[in-house]
Amino acid sequence: MASLTEDPVLGINDIKEAEEETDKGQTQVVKTEEVAQSERDMAPATGNSIHRSGSRPQLDLSKAAIQGNFEERDPTILLPNQSDDLSHLALDIGGSLIKLVYFSRHEDQSIDDKRKKTLKERLGISNGNRRSYPILGGRLHFVKFETHKINECLDFIYSKQLHRGGMDAQIWNPDAPTNENAVIKATGGGAYKFADLFKERLGVSLDKEDEMNCLVSGANFLLKAIRHEAFTHMEGHKEFVQIDQNELFPYLLVNIGSGVSMIKVDGDGKFQRISGTNVGGGTYWGLGKLLTKCKSFDELLELSQLGDNSTIDMLVGDIYGGMDYSKIGLSASTIASSFGKAISENKELGDYSPEDISLSLLRMISYNIGQISYLNALRFGLKRIFFGGFFIRGHAYTMDTISFAVQFWSKGDAQAMFLRHEGFLGALGAFMSYEKHGLDDLMVHHLVERFPMGAPYTGGKIHGPPLGDLNEKISWMEKFVRKGTEITAPVPMAPPGTTGLGGFEVPSSKGGTLRSDASALNIGVLHLVPTLEVFPLLADPKTYEPNTIDLSDHSELEYWFTVLSEHLPDLVDKAVASEGGTDDAKRRGDAFARAFSAHLARLMEEPAAYGKLGLANLLELREECLREFQFVDAYRSIKQRENEASLAVLADLLIELDSMTEETRLLTLIEGVLAANIFDWGSRACVDLYHKGTIIEIYRMSRNKMQRPWRVDDFDVFKERMLGSGDKKPRPHKRALLFVDNAGADVILGMLPLARELLRRGTEVVLVANSLPALNDLTAMELPEIVAEAAKHCDILRRAAEAGGLLVDAMVSTLDDSKGNSSSVPLMVVENGCGSPCIDLRQVSSELAAAAKEADLIILEGMGRALHTNFNARFKCDALKLAMVKNQRLAEKLIKGNIYDCVCRYEPLS
């Protein structure tokens, strides 16, 4: 899944200019709609267009999406297939902040050909369109302004023509008539207060939506559809919570804006406001402004980081001579009276530090909200309490204080949970109200989150105006330098090499100190993709965990971060070479290296910054970062060269195999898969081998060293299932799914001969490959051409490929055509729905899900798919996991072995 670009903001070297701009307006733009040129280049044009009309617009959320910056707390949501009339803007105008959700579109088109049609007919797929870059299209952006600076918000809307369909609408459909009577959805008190101002300045009418309905609608959608939306936060530790859709209701939604509303939610559209308090975010800001002279809410929050509330608050220990009041469960540090010490001390306001005042005020209000929330939850027997609203802002101390209050008063019975999109619930609900569009049917597996690079923040703030295109982003990355401990990017340590890439420090932990922004939420781009499905052959999808490596272990995290950092220079070399080694490619390569290093450094410091972290997520993040800087396929030329070299010797290998007995051939085939899996450019050990010999030499060396027993060796059990024992011949498998890995020898000399053997036995074969490039992994778009070339050397492959629709565009006639008329089991190719060396089977393409429904054998090949992920996965059918281990630490951790050990793990259904 590709989200290729994002709109970063000015960096550290530009802070001075940015702060001058902030002084003029204090506007904080969380996400903007500029479409980077890289994404335009990759998305073929389409005939669809968007224009405004006076009729009620319809929102098409099929295959929608989230896209966001490196530092963002609030995600952008992509809408790939929007082609009908659509209002491009919805607002939540509160007493303190204006929140905007607005739409921009990327153009895209699907690929449909005769081969695809044959596949769809055979698998019964009605909606599975393979696309070279399947997730582009539109997206929803999230922006906030301070309410008292509403004129700046209006200027922003006007500058982007959001009230007239957006500036990009003129590009898609320049002849569309302008609607001077546009209507914009809005919620919040300001929708009434400022209606005349919107009409006067923009000529638009505000269609007012019920505030509570919008809050609940936004929250329900996010909680049901986003895997890592909700999390707990205690003592600085963030833990994401996945909630079963069937167990979501009822819950208490506590929205903390200027005031606080508490809403009991019983279902979609079923809710009631059961309580609230006038002591909320407005109280904190208002009192804070009076007591500390702070000019903004964020400034007040920053002050609290340096405060000591014990200088102002009266604690239990102050009353009991430093002792706990253990009889009633109160520790000496418990606040007995907020601001209580000010009564007895002979001090004026100026004698207290603004930092101490800010923290005392924050704790007073947060404890109060937490307690009232729990009491209302207790009143209705609710165990889950979700907190949202811009009072929280991903702020660690705020969340810890609320969590402590809920835990304390409930004695651990209830949990406080927080939302990543905390401040935009109302605005999102207002946007959704344009049309009831079936969002209730979306589930977690329909969404994929990506994290394109934006400008890393300083002290939790976003500085400067948005950048408009990739060139500006690269310029920003070139200025991105370390400053103290607040910046998470590494610093070049060596002169540029041939690619312009300098050396980069390995990210290291900054220690246990909680930074002011340590818990700030990093929100990516949420791709809503209703065609993604849970792999139907998982034995238990609810307990399935794709990641084998536990990155919650800090030493494990540090090790894999070091591996990725050390591999970075070689990866940049390959990426730059794939683009012809031009100066532009070198510059983009440098920018990619800085961007990905910054991702690693941020995650090393805060592993939960992007949600629950696994090795698969890290590897996919790297591939997405490459695409962001327009490296479409970094190993393209290498794959082509390896494919050609391997195809040249395939015919001889097939002749050799056909001369063997059945039992010898089966063992040789499995040995061949294991031997060929040594070719992996993601492995440092493999890269070193490439410098010592040719592909064929390495393959032969690897095959010659195949000696059983292997480290994990279930071959004999697999052989018995395939060949039977004694006079008993087993029934062939009906359909086998072969998850292929690397291009070149891996697929051509390893997996294709194995597929041929299965076809020979009457088993349908489905080759499953990546939707997008990742390292030297093969893609589903590349595989049919390889099959067509291989079929020139084998009539078994030729007949099967014809039956599977793979040769409609490249007919093979070098063999006896009469044999092509005979019936044959099909050989098919499907995409897996991802662009990573690993695969998460909770989110696969509809093609793969359809193919899996009649499959009774799965073969997972390669470290990424069979070891890094899915080594412990269990299925509803026979499963064979094959891989050569090319990482010493993985060998030790997973199989207690050594590098180049082999895994042949067979797990029969019964």
Side-chain angles (χ1 to χ4, degrees):
M1 306 302 176
S3 57
L4 304 176
T5 61
E6 200 40 58
D7 316 311
V9 292
L10 293 185
I12 304 312
N13 292 344
D14 302 304
I15 286 179
K16 183 175 181 181
E17 293 89 340
E19 288 178 340
E20 289 172 358
E21 283 293 317
T22 305
D23 290 341
K24 295 176 184 177
Q26 289 286 331
T27 302
Q28 297 190 23
V29 180
V30 178
K31 179 72 190 127
T32 60
E33 58 77 45
E34 285 78 15
V35 180
Q37 188 63 42
S38 62
E39 206 157 14
R40 292 195 185 105
D41 291 343
M42 292 186 193
T46 179
N48 293 339
S49 63
I50 293 180
H51 62 276
R52 295 299 310 271
S53 77
S55 62
R56 183 177 178 86
Q58 181 175 349
L59 179 62
D60 181 0
L61 285 183
S62 63
K63 294 193 176 180
I66 274 185
Q67 185 164 352
N69 278 354
F70 172 59
E71 81 294 341
E72 278 189 310
R73 299 170 184 161
D74 309 298
T76 299
I77 298 181
L78 302 186
L79 302 176
N81 294 333
Q82 180 58 43
S83 59
D84 297 311
D85 296 344
L86 173 68
S87 174
H88 282 218
L89 175 65
L91 303 101
D92 178 2
I93 311 176
S96 305
L97 292 167
I98 302 172
K99 285 79 68 177
L100 283 75
V101 174
Y102 70 93
F103 175 85
S104 70
R105 179 177 169 78
H106 301 301
E107 299 180 20
D108 187 25
Q109 71 178 17
S110 60
I111 295 173
D112 201 357
D113 54 24
K114 294 178 182 178
R115 171 169 41 82
K116 191 67 175 178
K117 184 178 179 181
T118 302
L119 176 69
K120 291 163 78 173
E121 290 174 351
R122 183 170 290 278
L123 297 180
I125 300 173
S126 60
N127 60 351
N129 289 327
R130 183 190 304 149
R131 297 125 78 85
S132 58
Y133 284 90
I135 302 186
L136 300 174
R139 49 185 177 174
L140 293 179
H141 306 265
F142 295 79
V143 182
K144 61 179 178 175
F145 293 86
E146 295 179 11
T147 303
H148 72 277
K149 293 173 180 173
I150 189 170
N151 285 323
E152 294 181 7
C153 173
L154 294 169
D155 290 341
F156 177 81
I157 294 171
Y158 183 83
S159 70
K160 298 188 178 299
Q161 292 291 291
L162 299 178
H163 59 308
R164 297 174 186 247
M167 297 179 70
D168 46 3
Q170 299 174 13
I171 299 173
W172 306 321
N173 193 9
D175 299 325
T178 300
N179 179 15
E180 298 294 341
N181 300 309
V183 175
I184 294 174
K185 292 286 186 179
T187 189
Y192 297 88
K193 182 177 180 179
F194 298 110
D196 292 342
L197 184 59
F198 272 80
K199 189 69 174 178
E200 176 187 337
R201 289 283 308 277
L202 301 177
V204 299
S205 299
L206 297 184
D207 186 2
K208 304 165 189 68
E209 291 291 323
D210 178 73
E211 188 171 359
M212 295 299 154
N213 190 65
C214 288
L215 286 172
V216 172
S217 178
N220 282 350
F221 165 67
L222 294 167
L223 286 168
K224 289 193 297 182
I226 301 179
R227 191 178 301 281
H228 296 147
E229 175 64 25
F231 61 93
T232 59
H233 201 286
M234 285 291 291
E235 298 180 354
H237 177 68
K238 184 192 307 178
E239 185 171 336
F240 290 92
V241 180
Q242 185 54 42
I243 300 166
D244 191 315
Q245 277 204 25
N246 299 320
E247 300 174 0
L248 174 60
F249 306 112
Y251 67 84
L252 183 67
L253 176 61
V254 181
N255 190 65
I256 313 174
S258 298
V260 183
S261 288
M262 299 178 187
I263 308 165
K264 178 176 177 283
V265 183
D266 293 301
D268 293 313
K270 299 176 183 177
F271 63 90
Q272 58 176 318
R273 185 181 188 274
I274 58 174
S275 187
T277 171
N278 57 356
V279 180
T283 312
Y284 178 59
W285 192 352
L287 285 176
K289 184 176 180 182
L290 291 174
L291 296 174
T292 69
K293 307 302 180 185
C294 282
K295 296 179 181 179
S296 73
F297 193 97
D298 287 325
E299 184 183 354
L300 191 62
L301 277 179
E302 285 185 29
L303 280 181
S304 71
Q305 307 303 318
L306 306 173
D308 178 3
N309 68 301
S310 66
T311 64
I312 300 178
D313 292 341
M314 183 180 294
L315 309 181
V316 168
D318 296 326
I319 301 173
Y320 289 92
M323 303 292 289
D324 294 340
Y325 191 172
S326 54
K327 186 175 181 179
I328 57 175
L330 298 177
S331 68
S333 61
T334 301
I335 299 174
S337 175
S338 292
F339 290 89
K341 280 185 180 175
I343 300 172
S344 57
E345 294 179 335
N346 187 24
K347 293 182 179 180
E348 299 296 326
L349 178 60
D351 296 326
Y352 294 98
S353 77
E355 293 83 358
D356 296 346
I357 292 172
S358 176
L359 181 57
S360 180
L361 192 60
L362 177 64
R363 290 193 168 177
M364 177 183 76
I365 293 171
S366 298
Y367 280 140
N368 182 263
I369 293 170
Q371 182 179 11
I372 295 174
S373 300
Y374 166 66
L375 292 175
N376 276 283
L378 181 65
R379 177 180 161 210
F380 289 95
L382 306 175
K383 296 293 186 183
R384 289 198 188 94
I385 310 173
F386 295 102
F387 292 86
F390 260 113
F391 172 70
I392 299 170
R393 304 198 185 192
H395 190 259
Y397 292 140
T398 305
M399 292 186 288
D400 273 355
T401 305
I402 291 173
S403 296
F404 178 82
V406 171
Q407 184 185 54
F408 178 84
W409 290 107
S410 71
K411 294 181 169 55
D413 239 13
Q415 272 191 318
M417 287 182 277
F418 305 92
L419 303 174
R420 301 177 71 195
H421 295 74
E422 56 195 3
F424 286 98
L425 301 183
L428 180 58
F431 189 89
M432 292 165 60
S433 72
Y434 278 110
E435 184 71 20
K436 299 303 179 186
H437 36 57
L439 278 180
D440 295 346
D441 296 331
L442 286 177
M443 301 179 70
V444 170
H445 59 266
H446 292 140
L447 291 103
V448 181
E449 193 168 22
R450 300 287 180 259
F451 294 89
M453 171 58 65
Y457 50 82
T458 306
K461 287 185 177 179
I462 299 172
H463 295 275
L467 302 182
D469 58 26
L470 180 63
N471 185 59
E472 290 183 26
K473 177 185 290 190
I474 294 172
S475 296
W476 182 87
M477 292 307 303
E478 289 170 342
K479 298 175 183 177
F480 189 21
V481 296
R482 186 185 298 274
K483 180 181 178 183
T485 59
E486 292 183 332
I487 303 307
T488 58
V491 179
M493 298 187 301
T498 56
T499 67
L501 172 67
F504 290 86
E505 295 180 15
V506 174
S508 59
S509 172
K510 301 293 189 302
T513 304
L514 184 65
R515 277 180 12 181
S516 62
D517 61 348
S519 293
L521 304 175
N522 296 270
I523 306 273
V525 181
L526 181 64
H527 298 258
L528 280 76
V529 192
T531 54
L532 285 181
E533 299 183 32
V534 177
F535 189 57
L537 293 177
L538 284 175
D540 186 356
K542 288 186 178 181
T543 60
Y544 168 77
E545 169 55 50
N547 289 288
T548 305
I549 305 298
D550 181 12
L551 293 186
S552 63
D553 180 338
H554 185 79
S555 65
E556 203 69 43
L557 184 73
E558 192 165 17
Y559 171 80
W560 287 103
F561 275 26
T562 301
V563 168
L564 291 173
S565 297
E566 290 177 346
H567 182 245
L568 193 55
D570 183 72
L571 177 57
V572 173
D573 282 338
K574 300 296 185 295
V576 171
S578 75
E579 299 288 326
T582 64
D583 289 341
D584 172 68
K586 293 174 184 177
R587 187 167 175 245
R588 285 188 283 120
D590 284 350
F592 156 70
R594 287 182 170 87
F596 185 59
S597 295
H599 279 306
L600 292 181
R602 176 70 178 111
L603 290 170
M604 192 66 191
E605 187 172 46
E606 176 67 21
Y610 296 173
K612 186 177 179 181
L613 185 63
L615 186 55
N617 310 103
L618 275 178
L619 296 174
E620 190 161 18
L621 179 66
R622 177 181 62 188
E623 301 305 321
E624 289 296 325
C625 195
L626 276 168
R627 295 178 191 115
E628 182 181 356
F629 290 93
Q630 292 191 358
F631 292 107
V632 180
D633 188 352
Y635 286 77
R636 178 171 44 205
S637 58
I638 290 174
K639 288 191 292 184
Q640 184 177 355
R641 184 179 71 241
E642 293 186 0
N643 287 340
E644 291 172 355
S646 300
L647 284 166
V649 297
L650 176 62
D652 291 339
L653 175 62
L654 297 182
I655 292 171
E656 178 187 350
L657 289 168
D658 288 343
S659 68
M660 298 176 181
T661 65
E662 193 175 45
E663 183 173 334
T664 302
R665 184 168 67 243
L666 184 62
L667 175 60
T668 304
L669 285 166
I670 298 302
E671 287 178 340
V673 171
L674 294 171
N677 190 236
I678 198 172
F679 297 98
D680 186 348
W681 280 93
S683 161
R684 170 56 59 186
C686 178
V687 172
D688 292 340
L689 281 176
Y690 275 105
H691 298 301
K692 298 176 182 177
T694 67
I695 294 171
I696 302 307
E697 287 172 342
I698 298 170
Y699 171 71
R700 286 173 178 160
M701 174 200 72
S702 183
R703 271 191 65 180
N704 291 336
K705 290 187 176 181
M706 287 283 122
Q707 292 185 356
R708 297 184 62 199
W710 302 311
R711 177 58 62 174
V712 177
D713 193 342
D714 295 331
F715 173 76
D716 290 335
V717 182
F718 178 66
K719 180 184 72 174
E720 185 173 343
R721 169 62 183 87
M722 293 294 291
L723 305 182
S725 58
D727 297 331
K728 185 179 179 181
K729 292 294 181 182
R731 176 180 54 84
H733 290 96
K734 177 178 176 57
R735 177 182 291 170
L737 303 180
L738 275 61
F739 288 75
V740 300
D741 190 8
N742 306 296
D746 196 6
V747 65
I748 294 169
L749 305 182
M751 290 297 275
L752 271 183
L754 179 59
R756 175 177 178 262
E757 182 69 17
L758 291 166
L759 291 166
R760 187 204 299 264
R761 295 173 179 278
T763 300
E764 295 182 357
V765 173
V766 179
L767 300 175
V768 184
N770 270 12
S771 298
L772 298 173
L775 294 173
N776 63 319
D777 289 0
L778 204 61
T779 68
M781 296 296 293
E782 297 165 331
L783 195 47
E785 183 178 348
I786 291 174
V787 171
E789 288 300 313
K792 294 177 180 179
H793 306 291
C794 172
D795 67 337
I796 296 175
L797 288 176
R798 178 173 67 91
R799 292 196 306 268
E802 288 174 349
L806 295 180
L807 301 185
V808 291
D809 299 320
M811 295 301 294
V812 180
S813 58
T814 56
L815 301 176
D816 182 0
D817 284 341
S818 63
K819 296 181 181 179
N821 297 322
S822 62
S823 62
S824 174
V825 291
L827 173 63
M828 296 170 279
V829 171
V830 301
E831 62 178 354
N832 58 21
C834 76
S836 167
C838 301
I839 185 168
D840 182 344
L841 293 174
R842 293 172 298 194
Q843 295 178 300
V844 301
S845 71
S846 57
E847 289 183 9
L848 176 52
K853 290 176 182 176
E854 294 187 24
D856 50 1
L857 174 62
I858 295 170
I859 300 179
L860 288 161
E861 182 240 356
M863 282 214 308
R865 294 160 186 80
L867 299 183
H868 288 148
T869 53
N870 300 305
F871 186 67
N872 299 318
R874 293 295 178 264
F875 300 97
K876 296 177 182 177
C877 67
D878 295 352
L880 179 65
K881 300 168 185 177
L882 300 170
M884 177 180 284
V885 186
K886 289 151 295 208
N887 176 277
Q888 181 61 42
R889 188 179 183 94
L890 184 68
E892 294 169 356
K893 289 279 185 177
L894 201 59
I895 60 172
K896 295 181 171 46
N898 298 298
I899 195 167
Y900 301 131
D901 275 347
C902 292
V903 172
C904 176
R905 185 171 185 173
Y906 180 59
E907 298 159 349
L909 179 60
S910 58

